[in-house]
Amino acid sequence: QGGFNASLEPSLSYGEELGVRGVRGHRFMYDVTLFHLETSGDFDRYRVPSRPLETFYRNGGNSRRFGAELYANVNPVDPVWLQVAYTWSHFLYKKSTSFYGDIEGNWLPNSPQHQLLTDLAWSPLSDLTLGVGSDTYSKWYVDASNATSVDGYTLWNARASWSFRFSGRGGELMVQGRNLSAVRSTHDQNSTIAA
């Protein structure tokens, strides 16, 4: 009742990360990272019907994470910049028993296997920048049981920003719209969740 879960054990992790970063002239920059993480006593979020607005935590099992992160920033011509970021996540529970029973081989919740972010910016004037971008996520699972998932989706975004100076001080005014195509991701049990 006081908000402290006395049965929650510390989650312990160890891992490795290897990466390379480079620049080619002033028009291309890249960053590639590979990572591995082993966790014991990984945390799992849940809610209870009597307190639906609160999130609770418990130890959800042991997990192994492999992944890669790639980033590129390209300037093909001076007023145009393209940024692309991709993340591959292979996050699975190892031999574990949790609230859901045996979850060995299940995917960790809230972890899409593929994520792709893009951003294209154009500066027709030195103080004005126009941009469009997208956020793409593959299907992911809602909890450690993997019984419920959210379908993958893509959100389209746009923005306009204007930089200015007034009385020796700088500022920026920005207008941004996210999810302009009003995409809704669907739940695999036929309910609908707003993306």
Side-chain angles (χ1 to χ4, degrees):
Q1 294 298 322
F4 182 74
N5 183 354
S7 65
L8 194 64
E9 296 292 331
S11 177
L12 303 175
S13 299
Y14 69 89
E16 306 82 32
E17 186 174 303
L18 176 66
V20 61
R21 177 181 299 159
V23 176
R24 298 253 179 199
H26 67 282
R27 296 202 180 274
F28 180 66
M29 184 189 85
Y30 64 92
D31 193 327
V32 179
T33 305
L34 305 175
F35 63 89
H36 161 245
L37 189 68
E38 300 277 342
T39 303
S40 61
D42 217 329
F43 294 125
D44 177 34
R45 300 182 305 179
Y46 69 100
R47 292 193 172 172
V48 295
S50 60
R51 297 163 76 173
L53 299 180
E54 296 178 76
T55 300
F56 297 88
Y57 296 87
R58 61 186 161 219
N59 293 100
N62 303 329
S63 66
R64 173 174 291 142
R65 296 173 172 90
F66 289 103
E69 297 177 340
L70 304 112
Y71 170 78
N73 190 330
V74 184
N75 174 216
V77 291
D78 280 335
V80 176
W81 289 93
L82 173 64
Q83 296 182 78
V84 178
Y86 170 75
T87 302
W88 171 69
S89 304
H90 190 79
F91 299 172
L92 295 176
Y93 284 108
K94 293 163 54 179
K95 187 173 182 180
S96 299
T97 300
S98 77
F99 171 82
Y100 301 101
D102 183 5
I103 57 172
E104 181 179 3
N106 287 10
W107 294 91
L108 267 68
N110 306 306
S111 302
Q113 192 171 4
H114 304 282
Q115 298 179 56
L116 176 66
L117 308 179
T118 65
D119 184 79
L120 179 65
W122 173 49
S123 297
L125 304 172
S126 60
D127 297 331
L128 177 66
T129 300
L130 306 175
V132 294
S134 65
D135 303 348
T136 301
Y137 303 91
S138 65
K139 168 183 172 179
W140 76 83
Y141 293 98
V142 174
D143 57 44
S145 72
N146 286 184
T148 306
S149 64
V150 174
D151 291 338
Y153 58 86
T154 297
L155 307 181
W156 292 96
N157 315 306
R159 71 182 187 283
S161 63
W162 175 58
S163 301
F164 62 89
R165 295 195 66 78
F166 182 74
S167 298
R169 298 186 182 236
E172 184 177 36
L173 179 64
M174 179 185 291
V175 176
Q176 181 173 349
R178 293 185 53 80
N179 192 13
L180 297 177
S181 54
V183 168
R184 294 174 65 85
S185 67
T186 56
H187 189 287
D188 77 346
Q189 292 183 345
N190 299 321
S191 62
T192 304
I193 303 171

